[in-house]
Amino acid sequence: MSEAATRQWIQRAYRASAASNCARRSVGAILVKDDKELIAGSNGVDRRFRSCLDAGCPRCTAGGVVGLGYEFCICVHAEQDVMTRAARDGIATDGSTAFITLRPCLTCLTMMINAGIKQVHYSEDWSLAPELEKVYQSIAGQLEKFERVPLDREAVSEEDGAAC
């Protein structure tokens, strides 16, 4: 896949993140196979709630460190959203590529590998403590491709605005 196409899919993930209702961060994810979008999703809680704070999310209420404390969070991650909805709708994820606005957490990374996702491209980065980061990178090494594609969220918004 070309760099331009990869950037376009990341931009599409940023547009998907607009549906997020997480109070801490909006994250979007897209699954693509054979240059076709399989499914798009975002993080958050059931859409009956305006935000995860309204739903009572303890992690988002208290704050916390990126990459840790997810056992206290009731928000579904964007990657979990696309994988579970793909499973519900009978969409095969084996051999697909994920485009995500934020580097996946350790749990989502392992779930994507188990779902047969072969490549992961993400825009925004973060890292774990050095010992845990070694484990993370070892798991990421199981993918055919795991790469950061830096893209400015504001630039995506400006491009969308210019298209209107």
Side-chain angles (χ1 to χ4, degrees):
M1 180 173 297
S2 72
E3 183 178 332
T6 298
R7 294 180 74 74
Q8 287 178 332
W9 286 117
I10 293 282
Q11 288 173 337
R12 173 68 183 98
Y14 273 111
R15 288 191 291 278
S17 74
S20 169
N21 63 3
C22 177
R24 285 180 52 116
R25 174 176 259 159
S26 296
V27 179
I30 307 286
L31 291 182
V32 174
K33 187 171 184 180
D34 299 325
D35 296 322
K36 292 185 178 80
E37 182 177 312
L38 299 178
I39 195 158
S42 63
N43 64 322
V45 293
D46 188 293
R47 301 306 184 229
R48 292 177 294 163
F49 297 99
R50 191 181 65 193
S51 79
C52 60
L53 298 177
D54 293 337
C57 182
R59 181 176 187 268
C60 292
T61 300
V65 177
V66 174
L68 299 174
Y70 294 121
E71 67 272 19
F72 303 111
C73 186
I74 63 172
C75 294
V76 171
H77 293 191
E79 305 92 327
Q80 295 167 344
D81 185 41
V82 295
M83 287 184 287
T84 57
R85 289 189 310 108
R88 179 194 66 201
D89 296 345
I91 299 169
T93 58
D94 193 40
S96 65
T97 298
F99 297 89
I100 314 160
T101 60
L102 180 67
R103 184 177 105 154
C105 73
L106 185 57
T107 300
C108 286
L109 182 62
T110 57
M111 287 176 68
M112 287 188 287
I113 291 168
N114 286 343
I117 295 168
K118 299 296 183 196
Q119 297 185 22
V120 173
H121 305 269
Y122 64 94
S123 182
E124 298 171 34
D125 204 10
W126 58 273
S127 60
L128 295 161
E131 287 302 311
L132 197 49
E133 185 64 24
K134 286 180 191 175
V135 173
Y136 185 97
Q137 291 301 325
S138 174
I139 293 169
Q142 297 175 39
L143 293 161
E144 288 177 7
K145 190 167 216 173
F146 182 75
E147 74 170 348
R148 180 172 184 225
V149 181
L151 196 65
D152 183 13
R153 182 181 291 267
E154 286 73 34
V156 173
S157 298
E158 289 170 11
E159 288 176 22
D160 286 346
C164 294

